[in-house]
Amino acid sequence: MAQPSAQSPRRLMALQLLLWHSILWAGQEAAPLVSVTSLPPPLPLPRSFLLKSLEQVRKIQAGNSVLLEKLVSSTKCLSQLHRGLFLYQGLLQALAGISPELAPTLDTLQLDVANFATTIWQQMENLGVAPTAQPTQGTMPTFTSAFQRRAGGVLATSHLQRFLETAHCALNHLVQP
């Protein structure tokens, strides 16, 4: 059996460093490998080049800040929209049997709200910001009489209308550059 050489700990350390490096986020590879304090003396670069480079860094930082702010805002907005639509799906389901003449309209409204909630969820998944599981429906009211279903229908649909107006404004805001 071979004796461990003096280089074995170095090899092990090198392998560990390689492993850690491969685990780190890919974007880290673009970062400079030396710190600013350990840089060699500066090369005689033209001042105009340095000033232009500094301005480009500031411009990129500003653009990145705006993008990050938009992404965070979009994520919060989409999440709130999805939760609200999910709530209204349950409320509309609780209105089942409100009346035979309103049943087709209620069915269409339920389908439209469900489709919109699914679209929002898919967009969150595409952006990689969807929670690990969709929310679960909490306890929904049960309407035992025709009067309760009609009163509940008025309340649920009027609140849904206000929610959709707010959603419309929020989505318009996100569209703005």
Side-chain angles (χ1 to χ4, degrees):
M1 182 171 194
Q3 293 290 331
S5 69
Q7 289 187 347
S8 291
R10 287 184 183 162
R11 285 185 182 163
L12 180 60
M13 186 185 309
L15 287 173
Q16 287 173 334
L17 286 172
L18 183 61
L19 176 65
W20 278 108
H21 177 70
S22 66
I23 292 172
L24 292 176
W25 181 52
Q28 293 289 334
E29 293 175 15
L33 296 177
V34 293
S35 72
V36 174
T37 58
S38 68
L39 288 175
L43 296 174
L45 296 172
R47 183 164 173 77
S48 61
F49 167 78
L50 293 172
L51 291 174
K52 184 177 181 180
S53 295
L54 284 171
E55 184 55 36
Q56 287 176 322
V57 167
R58 282 189 210 103
K59 183 178 178 183
I60 292 168
Q61 285 176 325
N64 187 54
S65 295
V66 169
L67 179 61
L68 181 61
E69 183 180 316
K70 276 245 186 212
L71 286 173
V72 168
S73 175
S74 298
T75 301
K76 287 179 183 177
C77 182
L78 291 176
S79 181
Q80 289 173 346
L81 282 173
H82 185 263
R83 282 194 310 269
L85 290 167
F86 196 76
L87 169 74
Y88 284 109
Q89 274 182 279
L91 289 173
L92 292 172
Q93 288 171 356
L95 295 175
I98 191 168
S99 74
E101 67 271 2
L102 294 177
T105 304
L106 180 60
D107 290 344
T108 301
L109 188 56
Q110 285 176 321
L111 183 60
D112 289 345
V113 169
N115 286 340
F116 189 23
T118 300
T119 300
I120 296 291
W121 184 264
Q122 288 171 341
Q123 185 59 48
M124 291 186 339
E125 284 181 331
N126 291 345
L127 292 171
V129 297
T132 54
Q134 290 210 22
T136 56
Q137 197 65 260
T139 305
M140 288 294 127
T142 50
F143 303 113
T144 56
S145 70
F147 172 77
Q148 287 178 345
R149 278 190 291 280
R150 286 195 180 268
V154 168
L155 291 173
T157 55
S158 66
H159 285 286
L160 176 59
Q161 183 65 33
R162 282 196 297 263
F163 173 80
L164 291 172
E165 289 167 359
T166 303
H168 186 265
C169 288
L171 291 170
N172 271 335
H173 177 72
L174 291 176
V175 168
Q176 304 302 317

